[in-house]
Amino acid sequence: MTNNVEAAVPARRRPRSLAQELVDSLSAQIRNGEIVPGAKLPTESEIMRAFGVSRTVVREALSRLQASGLVETHHGVGTYALKPNGMGDFRVDPADIATVRDIVVILELRICLESEAAGLAAARRTDEQLAHMREALDQFRAALVPGGDTVTPDFRFHLLVAEATQNKYFADLMSHLGAAIIPRTRINSAKLADEDRMVYLARVNLEHEDIYEAIRRQDAESARAAMRTHLSNSRERLRRAQER
């Protein structure tokens, strides 16, 4: 298994397509039977070493594979291959999100999807799901240091909100979209907004906290409004940057 993975390492990689290269390689091995249904995939650390990528890239790729029905993850145990269903995958390729306009279009979709998801999450979330959201926001806040990874906990928080709807299709769609929908994975959002990075991220953190508090109170309308405000703020900052 390790040899197959290492053999699949691309000679050259574009930074924006690292996760998708990993998805494509593992998908091909599952579909052609090199990784049989029920087989355990290598650990995150093994995949990181084999492909020379970060843990964030590995987790994003595994999230996409899980959303497409090719693997399932048992927390604390590992990730296992499933039998391919033969259906085509819906996905947003990070390489296709190349311009500010592309990101604005994705944000328009997210505003519609995630505002309603936040409202449903407020009405339906469990205490355990709320606790996981709190953990994600705490991780985001802890990463508010130079070079800190805020993308992983950012996407995790939004995915957890989708999961708390108790409607699998919200979570499936968010998983398919992947962490590439977080604007700062594509562009320097703070620079476009003419802000210091730390100031920009601190405001994002506060917007997340507003969403969380509404979900904690089980106030569906406030949760919808807070999510809409959060995503609309991102969209408007990018629109203003385009106009300058």
Side-chain angles (χ1 to χ4, degrees), residues 93-126:
D93 189 336
D96 293 335
I97 311 176
T99 68
V100 171
R101 175 58 188 161
D102 295 332
I103 298 168
V104 169
V105 169
I106 293 293
L107 281 167
E108 289 175 351
L109 170 63
R110 292 183 64 197
I111 289 168
C112 297
L113 172 71
E114 294 190 64
S115 296
E116 182 59 24
L120 292 174
R124 301 173 179 175
R125 58 82 176 166
T126 66

Side-chain angles (χ1 to χ4, degrees), residues 26-73:
L26 293 175
S27 294
Q29 293 185 53
I30 293 171
R31 293 186 186 282
N32 67 23
E34 291 180 57
I35 303 176
V36 299
K40 186 177 181 179
L41 270 63
T43 65
E44 289 182 358
S45 296
E46 289 170 341
I47 296 174
M48 288 166 60
R49 287 194 297 270
F51 281 83
V53 296
S54 69
R55 192 174 300 276
T56 298
V57 169
V58 173
R59 288 181 174 175
E60 180 179 339
L62 292 178
S63 176
R64 295 188 196 183
L65 288 169
Q66 184 171 358
S68 64
L70 287 175
V71 304
E72 62 179 2
T73 298

